[in-house]
């Protein structure tokens, strides 16, 4: 029984290894991180435990990511993927063509101080001037971590704003229960219906998803 040449087996091994980490790589390169964190904050602020369930949060995050990333993906498909599939360009050139649109998207969402931090750590002295044209020449090893921590900061800021109105409801309910002497009744159990009512009345899903999408423009 033949298992192929050693070179082919090594190639298959590296291909499988690459495919296993591909989802994590794509998550770090796109808007997915901010979206899933904000939606998780929203669920926790409402206090619905596992409602909506993780599958819904992840599924909605994926489709919102595709919606937000569609201009970038269309550019990559047109300039890199289609020519490569038609065997007009080699893989390396396709990767080189795919990098600029991704870099442009990430740099628009990255804070200057985060980018400066990794430029300094990576000792990329030629980019100290922070010229916009120069920034697009930065390697992905510098742009990606700066982009990710910027996304985390933005997601936490949005999450804080989402938390505030629900926190006010929790405080009001807790104060009322304490004044009535109902110390054994969990405030979260009483405040949950009011938070759900507030969320429905203000059309929360529309506001949250709209705010997430507009935060990328």
């Amino acid at each position: 029984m033949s298992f192929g040449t050693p070179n082919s087996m090594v190639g298959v091994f590296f291909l499988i290894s690459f495919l296993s980490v591909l989802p994590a790589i794509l998550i770090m390169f796109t808007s997915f991180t901010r979206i899933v964190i904000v939606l998780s904050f929203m669920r926790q602020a409402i206090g619905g435990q596992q409602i909506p369930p993780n599958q819904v949060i992840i599924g909605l995050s994926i489709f919102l990511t595709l919606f937000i990333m569609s201009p970038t993906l269309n550019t990559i498909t047109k300039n890199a993927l289609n020519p490569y599939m038609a065997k007009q360009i080699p893989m390396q050139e396709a990767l080189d063509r795919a990098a600029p649109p991704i870099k442009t998207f990430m740099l628009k969402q990255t804070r200057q101080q985060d980018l400066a931090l990794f430029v300094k750590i990576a000792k990329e002295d030629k980019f100290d001037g922070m010229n916009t044209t120069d920034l697009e020449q930065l390697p992905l090893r510098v742009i990606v971590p700066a982009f990710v921590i910027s996304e985390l900061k933005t997601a936490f800021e949005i999450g804080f704003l989402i938390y505030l109105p629900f926190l006010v409801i929790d405080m009001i309910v807790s104060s009322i229960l304490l004044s009535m002497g109902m110390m054994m009744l969990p405030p979260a159990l009483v405040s949950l219906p009011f938070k759900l009512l507030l969320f429905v009345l203000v059309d929360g899903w529309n506001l949250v998803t709209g705010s997430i999408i507009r935060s990328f423009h």
Side-chain angles (χ1 to χ4, degrees):
M1 184 176 180
S2 175
F3 291 95
T5 63
N7 287 338
S8 64
M9 293 177 65
V10 171
V12 170
F13 171 77
F14 279 111
L15 177 61
I16 294 174
S17 301
F18 175 75
L19 292 176
S20 65
V21 300
L22 183 60
I25 294 175
L26 293 179
I27 288 172
M28 294 294 100
F29 279 63
T30 66
S31 58
F32 181 86
T33 300
R34 183 190 304 185
I35 297 171
V36 75
I37 290 176
V38 170
L39 293 180
S40 299
F41 267 123
M42 184 197 66
R43 180 177 65 183
Q44 190 171 357
I46 294 174
Q49 301 299 325
Q50 293 299 316
I51 300 175
N54 287 331
Q55 293 88 336
V56 175
I57 296 293
I58 298 298
L60 180 58
S61 300
I62 291 174
F63 278 98
L64 287 177
T65 299
L66 292 175
F67 179 81
I68 293 168
M69 298 296 299
S70 57
T72 302
L73 295 176
N74 290 338
T75 302
I76 293 174
T77 301
K78 179 181 178 182
N79 297 337
L81 183 59
N82 287 342
Y84 174 72
M85 297 299 292
K87 298 183 179 180
Q88 298 174 354
I89 58 175
M91 178 178 290
Q92 185 57 49
E93 184 176 348
L95 294 175
D96 292 339
R97 291 187 182 186
I102 290 290
K103 288 183 178 181
T104 300
F105 169 79
M106 289 192 292
L107 287 171
K108 286 178 62 177
Q109 311 301 328
T110 304
R111 298 185 306 156
Q112 289 294 319
Q113 52 265 45
D114 294 330
L115 200 57
L117 170 65
F118 286 96
V119 167
K120 181 178 180 180
I121 294 174
K123 298 181 179 179
E124 297 282 352
D125 298 331
K126 60 182 179 179
F127 297 107
D128 284 344
M130 288 296 172
N131 183 278
T132 303
T133 305
D134 292 339
L135 293 181
E136 295 180 355
Q137 304 302 319
L138 280 169
L140 286 173
R141 68 185 179 89
V142 172
I143 297 176
V144 172
F147 167 74
V148 172
I149 64 174
S150 293
E151 288 293 279
L152 291 174
K153 182 179 186 297
T154 304
F156 275 66
E157 290 175 345
I158 298 174
F160 172 76
L161 295 177
I162 291 175
Y163 244 101
L164 284 180
F166 298 110
L167 180 61
V168 171
I169 294 177
D170 283 332
M171 293 175 64
I172 293 174
V173 170
S174 297
S175 299
I176 293 174
L177 292 177
L178 184 61
S179 65
M180 295 175 65
M182 297 181 178
M183 291 176 290
M184 301 301 294
L185 185 62
L189 184 64
V190 180
S191 63
L192 178 58
F194 293 101
K195 290 191 285 188
L196 291 176
L197 179 62
L198 172 66
F199 192 73
V200 171
L201 288 178
V202 300
D203 198 3
W205 286 109
N206 183 287
L207 289 176
V208 171
T209 56
S211 298
I212 292 173
I213 293 172
R214 284 191 290 269
S215 69
F216 286 95
H217 295 291

